[in-house]
């Protein structure tokens, strides 16, 4: 290119025709080279493994927007709007209460149209009954079962089900009426279905002695829950399959989102399109590894990160759980 330019500069001044031709040649070479480089650059940066580069990355602004906020920070603000505070619903000095809040606490971030529990652990049936009567729940028959949920949660569920049915799908309760509202006694009985068989198993394996089993059975409930969670730190698990925390299999008595009437167990949980429809209507999986369990938050999925929740994938399904990043104080 440099040699061509030099030739053009050394031409006699009067030879305009040759000068014009050379300049045209130079411009042509320059433009063609530039276009080839441009196409080459797009080919390298525009596709990786056959996929558009833009489809594989997100703008910096979007990534920042999707960065989860602090669960405790968002929770404090949410509870302030409800005229209460964390210490009132869940004393963080209590290790059991704090664990329950960090595992099941997504429901406390639900929109204002629902009533969240006044405590993270109900201690008796009277407490639960009082809350449920004040929470304005309704009953609908779905697939032959009487399902009871808070009014706003039910409205969203029925809309989701209607949309699913238009696509030849359905959203039905798992295990009948138990899929939705539960009483304190229900949660106590369900605890026993995990706690007692696990004690027998670990006794047979020599991991627990008969004295330890008797001691655990006779502990006051709150102390019993604390002891179970402590044993899980040494690999003695109480879930149904004995492979994970009991809290990912069944709620501790008095702590279930079903008591809050903001949870619904779905038969069709393994259908990706059903999960999409439920999310569109504010229903999300929020209890890690509990695949059929959906929680009504009444929020849009894109807003969950700024509401203190982070996404975690388990068994190919996305769970939105509290983003615990700052020590509570």
């Amino acid at each position: 290119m440099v040699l061509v330019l030099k030739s053009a500069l050394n031409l006699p001044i009067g030879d305009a025709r040759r000068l014009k031709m050379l300049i045209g040649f130079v411009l042509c070479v320059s433009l063609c080279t530039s276009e080839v480089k441009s196409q080459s650059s797009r080919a390298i940066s525009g596709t990786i493994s056959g996929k558009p580069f833009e489809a594989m990355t997100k703008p910096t602004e979007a990534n920042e927007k999707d960065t989860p906020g602090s669960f405790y920070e968002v929770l404090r603000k949410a509870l302030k709007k409800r005229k209460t505070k964390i210490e009132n619903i869940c004393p963080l000095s209590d290790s059991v209460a704090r664990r329950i809040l960090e595992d099941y606490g997504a429901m406390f971030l639900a929109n204002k149209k629902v009533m969240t529990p006044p405590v993270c652990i109900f201690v008796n049936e009277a407490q639960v009954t009082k809350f449920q009567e004040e929470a304005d729940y309704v009953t609908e028959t779905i697939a032959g079962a009487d399902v009871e949920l808070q009014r706003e949660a039910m409205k969203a569920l029925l809309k989701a089900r209607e949309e699913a049915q238009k696509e030849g799908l359905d959203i039905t309760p798992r295990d009948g009426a138990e899929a939705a509202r539960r009483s304190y006694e229900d949660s106590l009985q369900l605890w026993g279905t995990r706690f007692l068989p696990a004690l027998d198993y670990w006794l047979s394996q020599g991991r627990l002695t008969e004295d330890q089993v008797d001691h655990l059975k006779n502990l006051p409930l709150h102390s019993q829950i604390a002891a179970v969670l402590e044993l899980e730190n040494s690999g003695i698990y109480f879930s149904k399959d004995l492979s994970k925390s009991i809290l990912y299999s069944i709620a501790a008595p008095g702590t279930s989102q079903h008591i809050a009437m903001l949870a619904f167990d779905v038969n069709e949980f393994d259908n990706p399109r059903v999960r999409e429809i439920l999310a569109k209507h504010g229903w999300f999986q929020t209890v890690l590894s509990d695949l059929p369990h959906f929680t009504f938050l009444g929020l849009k999925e894109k807003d969950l990160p700024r509401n203190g929740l982070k996404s975690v994938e388990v068994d190919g399904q996305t769970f939105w759980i509290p983003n615990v990043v700052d020590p509570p104080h």
Side-chain angles (χ1 to χ4, degrees):
M1 182 72 68
V2 174
L3 291 174
V4 173
L5 288 171
K6 284 183 177 179
S7 299
L9 292 173
N10 291 327
L11 285 172
I13 297 176
D15 199 346
R17 184 178 180 184
R18 289 185 60 200
L19 178 60
K20 184 176 180 179
M21 290 175 62
L22 280 170
I23 291 174
F25 174 77
V26 170
L27 289 174
C28 179
V29 172
S30 177
L31 290 172
C32 291
T33 303
S34 175
E35 179 63 20
V36 169
K37 287 182 178 179
S38 176
Q39 290 178 359
S40 175
S41 176
R42 286 197 297 271
I44 293 170
S45 66
T47 57
I48 298 178
S49 302
K51 296 180 180 179
F53 183 72
E54 292 78 2
M56 300 182 65
T57 61
K58 293 183 179 180
T60 302
E61 182 181 354
N63 284 334
E64 290 176 354
K65 192 181 296 183
D66 291 342
T67 300
S70 160
F71 169 68
Y72 278 111
E73 182 180 337
V74 175
L75 180 62
R76 287 189 183 94
K77 293 176 181 178
L79 293 178
K80 186 176 181 180
K81 291 179 180 179
R82 294 181 185 270
K83 302 186 185 309
T84 187
K85 53 186 179 179
I86 294 178
E87 292 71 21
N88 292 340
I89 67 165
C90 206
L92 298 179
S93 57
D94 180 340
S95 61
V96 173
R98 179 173 169 178
R99 173 71 185 276
I100 295 301
L101 182 62
E102 293 181 358
D103 278 0
Y104 299 159
M107 69 174 170
F108 289 101
L109 302 175
N111 70 29
K112 294 180 181 179
K113 294 182 179 180
V114 301
M115 181 176 175
T116 55
V119 292
C120 60
I121 303 177
F122 289 98
V123 297
N124 55 48
E125 195 70 72
Q127 268 191 340
V128 170
T129 299
K130 181 177 185 296
F131 165 76
Q132 291 184 342
E133 287 177 348
E134 294 174 352
D136 183 31
Y137 69 90
V138 294
T139 306
E140 291 285 346
T141 301
I142 301 177
D146 288 339
V147 173
E148 297 173 318
L149 292 169
Q150 288 197 39
R151 188 177 300 276
E152 194 67 21
M154 181 66 80
K155 188 188 303 182
L157 177 63
L158 294 178
K159 286 182 179 178
R161 189 179 186 219
E162 182 181 357
E163 182 172 340
Q165 289 178 329
K166 287 179 180 178
E167 298 183 20
L169 303 170
D170 207 348
I171 298 174
T172 59
R174 190 178 182 86
D175 298 325
E178 189 180 280
R181 184 180 78 88
R182 294 176 189 169
S183 65
Y184 179 82
E185 186 62 29
D186 289 336
S187 70
L188 191 59
Q189 290 178 357
L190 287 167
W191 174 262
T193 65
R194 304 295 190 269
F195 175 66
L196 296 176
L199 286 180
D200 292 341
Y201 174 78
W202 294 117
L203 176 62
S204 71
Q205 296 298 304
R207 297 290 302 274
L208 294 176
T209 66
E210 288 189 7
D211 286 344
Q212 287 175 312
V213 168
D214 289 339
H215 174 69
L216 287 165
K217 286 181 178 179
N218 292 303
L219 281 174
L221 185 56
H222 194 82
S223 299
Q224 187 181 90
I225 297 169
V228 165
L229 296 179
E230 182 61 32
L231 283 169
E232 290 183 341
N233 290 330
S234 59
I236 299 178
Y237 293 111
F238 287 76
S239 63
K240 189 174 184 178
D241 62 3
L242 305 167
S243 70
K244 56 183 179 288
S245 174
I246 191 171
L247 298 183
Y248 301 150
S249 181
I250 200 73
T255 70
S256 175
Q257 294 179 346
H258 290 278
I259 285 177
M261 301 174 295
L262 295 174
F264 183 68
D265 291 344
V266 178
N267 270 326
E268 300 79 8
F269 68 89
D270 60 346
N271 187 308
R273 179 55 186 154
V274 167
R275 297 197 300 270
E276 286 179 4
I277 293 172
L278 283 165
K280 177 181 174 181
H281 294 276
W283 285 91
F284 304 94
Q285 291 163 296
T286 69
V287 179
L288 208 58
S289 293
D290 192 347
L291 299 177
H293 181 103
F294 288 77
T295 310
F296 179 69
L297 301 180
L299 303 172
K300 294 181 179 179
E301 187 165 14
K302 68 180 180 65
D303 294 331
L304 296 183
R306 68 182 181 87
N307 278 282
L309 301 178
K310 65 180 179 181
S311 61
V312 176
E313 187 172 304
V314 178
D315 294 331
Q317 300 189 33
T318 300
F319 293 80
W320 289 95
I321 63 174
N323 183 41
V324 181
V325 292
D326 56 341
H329 55 270

